[in-house]
Amino acid sequence: MAIQTIQEQEEQQEPNRGRSYWRWSKQDFFPEPSFSNLTSYKASLSKTCPRLKDRLLDRSSDAFELVELRKASENSMRKCLTWWDLLWLSFGSVVGSGIFTITGLEAHEVGPSIVVAYAVAGLSALLSSFCYTEFAVEIPVAGGSFSYLRVELGDFIAFIAASNILLEAVVGSAGLGRSWSSYLASLITDNADFLRFKVSFLAEGFNLLDPVAVLVLLVANGIAMSGTKMTSVLNWISSIISSFIIVFIIVVGFIRGKTSNLDPFFPEGAKGVFEAAAVVYWSYTGFDMVATMAEETKKPSRDIPVGLVGSMAIITVVYCLMALVLTMMQKYTDIDVNAPYSVAFSKIGMNWAKYLVGICALKGMTTSLLVGSLGQARYTTQISRAHMIPPWFALVHPKTGTPINATLLVTITSAIVAFFSSLDVLSSVFSFSTLFIFMLIAVALLVRRYYVKDVTPKNDLFKFLGCLFVVIASCVGGTIVWNLNSGGWIGYVVASLVWFLGTLAMALLSKHRVPKVWGVPLVPWLPSLSIGMNIFLIGSLGTVAFYRFFICSAVMFIYYLLVGVHATYDVAHQSEQDSNDQEGK
């Protein structure tokens, strides 16, 4: 049935294939009835409350995400990726997006305990990768977490995730562009800001203009637009080469490093470790990009588990070792926050190694930008297919098989942000939105296992929701106790006990869905632990990160009330009408 449906979908797309890809009419951006004219839009605004209620309660389906939404792209993405591609796409995206950027920033504050911070963040990321893998195998579409949340938690929650996904895309790319500029400058001089221009009329954190970051973003995204398979091949070739350099860094670091630099190991205590873990989580972001490539994967059920889970386990070990050798080569107070590894090798008298590390770092960040460009564009494509942003961005180019419009949206926006914003401003915002989405994915996985519409009895649903509430509340409570430094060990024991009892009660409930091919083991324990770790890491971020997150979310919510809710309402009810018409025939 699925094959037949896809064939029918391709036949329905056929009339659109003769149209020019580059078109700019209002109908391409706002085809929904609510935006046909000013009168229609005013009428739609007057119905905002009932439409919002409709969207809050509406959930998508696997079939709708897999088949119906793809029609908006007019052309199909090409299935050209294998497990080998996914493994190295994950490696190329993750290794470079943090270890060469955030490590120095946090190690300078928390010292050698940065190793523990990476282990904590890595465990949380590994748990999240399990959840992503089950969804990606069951729903192999370009939308990744956006589609998974839309199916299980509803349209509105998916929009909140979508706004943060787009924030991730922009902030992540901008941060990498700035770091790329810093490392290039470190190869020329000891001043990481050498290639930037300082202006006096902008606030601190936004007054160092970076044209190099803009240029590298444009080049990387240009390559990503040219073709998925070509980008993948470039990525795995360069990633294999850089893996040898990483081994060199680790070996030389252990040989030339001093164990005396590891004392004190916990200069900021346990609290500093978890605060650092919340920020270095950025280093693990990128694995979710592999999930967005599911639509272009030849055998998702086999290739995605190997690519996601396998790569994350390896990367966690690599990160901990690299963080350890960095703090052995230099006293943590002397670590350079912008180009830590290059400067560290220079300080121990290996100036030639400084250039090798700098080139490896540039390569790592370049592949992170390449893979990030692929994943971010596919997130944006699915969000656009759902009409949460104009469907013009969902179009797939007939020759390249890539979503060029979506790539351009992310490229131009991130280039503007990278031109102005410093790395420390970007990292906290990015970590919050990432942890928030990963927490929602774990919740969505539990919902998928325990609730099936029109199948799960109401009593079972209420019991599940009660258990889920207890789990989340205990995690929030424990995080509050930790941050207030009140209650001592009793508070932690109570919170942990309540979490355990809530998860145990959930484990005793009947599951109403069984994974068809690949599933997360030890459900609900692993997803529940993922929820707890992500909430705890969110609570370890500074208050400024909360302010920035909520301000960005508030702006996006206003957009949703003015545009998103009406566009998605029109699409959903048009689809229902089409289904009813087909049943009538």
Side-chain angles (χ1 to χ4, degrees):
M1 290 296 292
I3 295 174
Q4 183 181 0
T5 305
I6 292 171
Q7 289 174 344
E8 291 173 355
Q9 170 197 339
E10 290 176 349
E11 290 172 3
Q12 291 173 355
Q13 289 178 349
E14 196 67 38
N16 292 319
R17 290 179 180 168
R19 301 178 65 192
S20 171
Y21 184 81
W22 303 108
R23 52 186 195 262
W24 319 92
S25 70
K26 173 184 171 295
Q27 189 68 15
D28 293 311
F29 286 86
F30 296 101
E32 304 84 9
S34 293
F35 306 103
S36 59
N37 53 56
L38 185 59
T39 302
S40 299
Y41 182 58
K42 288 180 179 179
S44 299
L45 287 178
S46 67
K47 301 174 184 176
T48 298
C49 290
R51 288 187 171 191
L52 180 60
K53 181 181 178 182
D54 177 89
R55 296 292 83 207
L56 284 170
L57 300 176
D58 183 72
R59 299 167 76 209
S60 184
S61 66
D62 294 10
F64 191 78
E65 296 292 315
L66 285 167
V67 179
E68 292 299 320
L69 285 189
R70 290 187 184 181
K71 297 175 184 177
S73 292
E74 297 186 0
N75 300 286
S76 299
M77 297 183 191
R78 295 166 186 167
K79 290 186 175 293
C80 57
L81 302 177
T82 66
W83 66 268
W84 176 263
D85 294 291
L86 297 182
L87 184 70
W88 288 108
L89 283 170
S90 180
F91 187 89
S93 176
V94 176
V95 178
S97 63
I99 194 66
F100 292 116
T101 58
I102 294 298
T103 307
L105 198 65
E106 292 304 309
H108 187 77
E109 300 294 329
V110 302
S113 63
I114 188 66
V115 178
V116 182
Y118 266 112
V120 171
L123 175 60
S124 181
L126 188 61
L127 293 174
S128 295
S129 72
F130 274 115
C131 299
Y132 266 88
T133 299
E134 179 171 330
F135 274 116
V137 170
E138 298 265 321
I139 315 173
V141 293
S145 56
F146 167 73
S147 293
Y148 313 151
L149 295 176
R150 197 160 181 258
V151 169
E152 299 302 336
L153 301 185
D155 199 75
F156 178 73
I157 297 297
F159 170 78
I160 298 299
S163 63
N164 283 281
I165 287 168
L166 293 176
L167 180 64
E168 274 188 16
V170 171
V171 172
S173 295
L176 276 173
R178 297 282 295 200
S179 297
W180 202 98
S181 175
S182 293
Y183 257 94
L184 181 61
S186 71
L187 296 177
I188 302 171
T189 178
D190 289 334
N191 181 12
D193 295 325
F194 177 70
L195 299 174
R196 297 177 180 132
F197 303 95
K198 188 170 185 177
V199 293
S200 57
F201 56 87
L202 293 175
E204 189 70 26
F206 302 93
N207 60 344
L208 285 173
L209 308 184
D210 198 335
V212 175
V214 174
L215 179 62
V216 72
L217 284 170
L218 295 176
V219 172
N221 282 274
I223 295 172
M225 284 188 285
S226 65
T228 302
K229 188 62 178 181
M230 184 183 75
T231 306
S232 176
V233 171
L234 288 174
N235 168 75
W236 66 254
I237 291 175
S238 58
S239 294
I240 289 173
I241 295 172
S242 68
S243 64
F244 287 106
I245 300 177
I246 288 172
V247 171
F248 164 80
I249 293 172
I250 293 172
V251 171
V252 173
F254 276 119
I255 294 174
R256 298 296 300 272
K258 300 177 181 177
T259 55
S260 59
N261 287 334
L262 299 178
D263 186 32
F265 197 86
F266 294 96
E268 298 297 322
K271 188 173 181 63
V273 170
F274 285 104
E275 288 176 349
V279 177
V280 300
Y281 204 97
W282 186 1
S283 305
Y284 290 97
T285 57
F287 73 83
D288 53 320
M289 296 301 171
V290 175
T292 70
M293 308 305 295
E295 192 171 318
E296 295 159 273
T297 302
K298 293 180 179 179
K299 294 182 179 179
S301 60
R302 180 199 64 186
D303 298 337
I304 293 174
V306 174
L308 263 176
V309 179
S311 61
M312 287 309 299
I314 296 170
I315 288 167
T316 299
V317 174
V318 170
Y319 273 7
C320 290
L321 291 175
M322 289 189 71
L324 179 61
V325 298
L326 176 65
T327 53
M328 288 176 65
M329 285 191 290
Q330 270 189 295
K331 195 70 176 177
Y332 75 93
T333 52
D334 298 327
I335 291 174
D336 185 86
V337 297
N338 288 300
Y341 290 92
S342 291
V343 174
F345 272 97
S346 178
K347 295 295 184 182
I348 63 173
M350 298 180 66
N351 288 322
W352 61 272
K354 163 188 168 181
Y355 296 102
L356 184 63
V357 172
I359 292 170
C360 180
L362 288 176
K363 194 283 333 163
M365 286 181 279
T366 302
T367 54
S368 293
L369 284 170
L370 285 173
V371 182
S373 299
L374 292 175
Q376 292 153 6
R378 280 141 189 81
Y379 269 131
T380 307
T381 298
Q382 194 75 0
I383 293 169
S384 182
R385 286 171 173 174
H387 288 235
M388 288 189 177
I389 60 176
W392 183 80
F393 295 107
L395 297 176
V396 172
H397 197 279
K399 291 184 178 179
T400 64
T402 59
I404 291 179
N405 293 343
T407 309
L408 286 173
L409 174 65
V410 176
T411 302
I412 295 171
T413 310
S414 59
I416 293 172
V417 174
F419 189 60
F420 293 100
S421 305
S422 65
L423 189 60
D424 58 337
V425 170
L426 296 170
S427 61
S428 60
V429 179
F430 187 88
S431 292
F432 195 116
S433 59
T434 303
L435 291 165
F436 178 69
I437 291 172
F438 288 174
M439 184 271 292
L440 288 178
I441 288 293
V443 172
L445 181 73
L446 291 175
V447 173
R448 186 171 181 83
R449 291 290 192 94
Y450 285 93
Y451 174 66
V452 178
K453 187 177 181 181
D454 299 327
V455 174
T456 305
K458 284 190 176 180
N459 286 340
D460 286 2
L461 174 60
F462 292 143
K463 289 176 183 178
F464 165 70
L465 292 177
C467 294
L468 183 61
F469 174 80
V470 169
V471 168
I472 294 175
S474 64
C475 295
V476 172
T479 302
I480 292 173
V481 170
W482 172 267
N483 282 281
L484 293 179
N485 292 316
S486 61
W489 64 270
I490 297 177
Y492 305 137
V493 170
V494 170
S496 300
L497 181 62
V498 173
W499 172 86
F500 176 82
L501 293 175
T503 307
L504 178 62
M506 190 183 298
L508 298 176
L509 298 177
S510 299
K511 298 184 181 72
H512 293 274
R513 192 195 303 267
V514 177
K516 298 173 185 176
V517 181
W518 193 96
V520 176
L522 300 176
V523 173
W525 296 100
L526 291 188
S528 180
L529 182 60
S530 179
I531 291 170
M533 294 192 72
N534 283 309
I535 290 177
F536 190 81
L537 292 175
I538 288 174
S540 298
L541 291 169
T543 54
V544 175
F546 278 78
Y547 291 144
R548 289 169 180 159
F549 171 80
F550 287 118
I551 289 172
C552 291
S553 296
V555 171
M556 294 302 293
F557 181 66
I558 293 172
Y559 166 84
Y560 186 66
L561 292 179
L562 295 177
V563 179
V565 69
H566 307 293
T568 54
Y569 179 89
D570 287 346
V571 172
H573 287 273
Q574 182 62 46
S575 298
E576 290 177 6
Q577 183 179 340
D578 292 343
S579 298
N580 293 332
D581 290 344
Q582 289 178 359
E583 290 175 3
K585 293 178 182 179

